[in-house]
Amino acid sequence: MNLRLLALLGLIPLLFISCSDILNNDDTEPKYKKATINNARYPDSINIGDSIAITFYFPIEDSAYQFHEVQWEKLEAKWPYEERFQFEIELIRNISDEKPSQDSVVWQYYPTVPGTYELLMLNPENDTLREDFNASYQTFELEMEAEDYQTIVDYVANNYSEQYIDEYGTGEYYFGANSYYVNFDLRISPRIESGQTEFESMGEGEAIEVIHDRLKTALKIVLRKQFPDAEKNARYIIKFETYNNDYSRSNYRAEYECTSVGDNLEFEFISMEEYSEKH
């Protein structure tokens, strides 16, 4: 891993080493010393599927020894999002005339489920170093444009009925997508006029609820077109505008999760909320 890149990303922690007594007094054999990690910096969050990678630097201040390797033992975790390690540094007698220099080791971990992870580094002779980071699925965002609304219009023409398509071919009244106005028309009256007689017996609240439910399906049509290579478990946020039954306009944000990829590409609805343009 490129150390300059790690430095730019802020992943190179500051570490200070203090050595304890020599564990082996035979000068002809390697000398082992325990070292303490006092400080480290971690990213606040990471995407599932990526690794959290930190480079540890071990400056050797004792000219009689040089860094050999770091060993760590994974300890039993107390809860699912906890990672516990105990570190031990191995130093060997320096048999060359070269000046000791900094050595390093890269620690990597791949979170497998989303959540807040607690990383505990148990130093042999010092207080526990605790660091937290959040692991989440990658999120993609799309703000619908005219072509996205037209994708829905064409889908309705090919899979529902031409009677739902307006005279210009740029709007449809099943989902309400309109590429000319770049929004969803949520009015009830155009639906009745286009032959959707089921709305005649509905109250306004019930009708609007049905239209909003249809929106959830319409947005999946756009997501499948825009993200054919979607990643499983990734989150997709799609933004759009509506022209409401009271002739007002609203902005909405809907969130989906990709639950199946490839030929069986599928998105599952999670939530939908209205937001202001300044949000």
Side-chain angles (χ1 to χ4, degrees):
M1 183 174 293
N2 189 301
L3 297 183
R4 179 175 295 179
L5 177 59
L6 283 170
L8 291 175
L9 293 176
L11 294 180
I12 297 181
L14 300 175
L15 295 150
F16 302 91
I17 305 301
S18 64
C19 296
S20 65
D21 294 334
I22 298 174
L23 302 182
N24 188 327
N25 292 320
D26 186 351
D27 289 342
T28 62
E29 296 294 330
K31 303 294 183 177
Y32 298 92
K33 295 186 179 183
K34 291 183 178 180
T36 300
I37 301 171
N38 292 326
N39 204 353
R41 291 184 300 182
Y42 292 81
D44 294 330
S45 62
I46 185 173
N47 292 320
I48 298 294
D50 294 332
S51 70
I52 176 171
I54 292 105
T55 298
F56 293 110
Y57 278 91
F58 300 98
I60 307 303
E61 298 177 355
D62 188 341
S63 60
Y65 295 93
Q66 62 184 12
F67 171 87
H68 185 228
E69 65 178 12
V70 61
Q71 299 172 340
W72 57 76
E73 175 187 2
K74 185 171 181 178
L75 305 178
E76 183 179 355
K78 295 181 180 178
W79 63 298
Y81 301 134
E82 182 182 66
E83 290 300 315
R84 295 163 60 88
F85 296 88
Q86 179 165 291
F87 289 82
E88 188 169 313
I89 313 305
E90 179 183 317
L91 303 178
I92 61 174
R93 178 166 291 283
N94 188 1
I95 58 175
S96 70
D97 294 330
E98 296 179 5
K99 230 178 168 181
S101 61
Q102 289 190 138
D103 283 287
S104 64
V105 64
V106 175
W107 175 86
Q108 285 184 298
Y109 176 68
Y110 290 83
T112 56
V113 294
T116 300
Y117 284 74
E118 179 183 77
L119 177 63
L120 295 178
M121 290 179 285
L122 307 178
N123 296 299
E125 298 177 353
N126 198 13
D127 294 334
T128 296
L129 175 63
R130 170 182 168 176
E131 297 290 343
D132 297 328
F133 66 91
N134 181 64
S136 60
Y137 293 115
Q138 192 167 5
T139 299
F140 300 87
E141 190 170 297
L142 170 69
E143 187 162 355
M144 286 184 62
E145 298 180 354
E147 64 181 52
D148 299 311
Y149 293 95
Q150 188 63 44
T151 293
I152 300 173
V153 174
D154 296 340
Y155 184 90
V156 171
N158 294 327
N159 295 277
Y160 287 83
S161 173
E162 286 284 351
Q163 74 182 44
Y164 300 148
I165 308 300
D166 68 14
E167 60 181 311
Y168 305 106
T170 58
E172 53 81 20
Y173 295 110
Y174 185 80
F175 299 115
N178 193 298
S179 62
Y180 180 78
Y181 293 108
V182 196
N183 62 23
F184 284 101
D185 187 340
L186 304 187
R187 293 177 298 157
I188 300 170
S189 57
R191 286 166 168 78
I192 296 176
E193 294 168 3
S194 65
Q196 301 176 65
T197 56
E198 65 269 25
F199 285 98
E200 294 178 347
S201 60
M202 296 182 191
E204 182 179 0
E206 182 184 2
I208 291 175
E209 185 176 345
V210 170
I211 294 170
H212 272 259
D213 281 340
R214 289 183 180 181
L215 275 180
K216 300 173 186 177
T217 300
L219 297 175
K220 290 182 181 181
I221 297 169
V222 176
L223 289 173
R224 284 194 289 267
K225 175 71 177 296
Q226 288 285 5
F227 301 101
D229 299 319
E231 302 174 14
K232 189 172 181 180
N233 296 322
R235 301 300 173 94
Y236 294 82
I237 294 174
I238 183 168
K239 296 180 178 179
F240 56 94
E241 183 184 84
T242 62
Y243 181 47
N244 305 315
N245 195 53
D246 61 1
Y247 306 110
S248 64
R249 296 178 185 273
S250 300
N251 293 290
Y252 280 88
R253 175 193 293 105
E255 183 175 357
Y256 288 78
E257 178 181 346
C258 179
T259 56
S260 180
V261 298
D263 294 337
N264 299 315
L265 182 61
E266 187 57 61
F267 296 90
E268 181 178 316
F269 173 80
I270 297 177
S271 65
M272 184 164 62
E273 62 178 359
E274 187 176 354
Y275 73 98
S276 66
E277 287 185 328
K278 294 181 180 179
H279 188 80

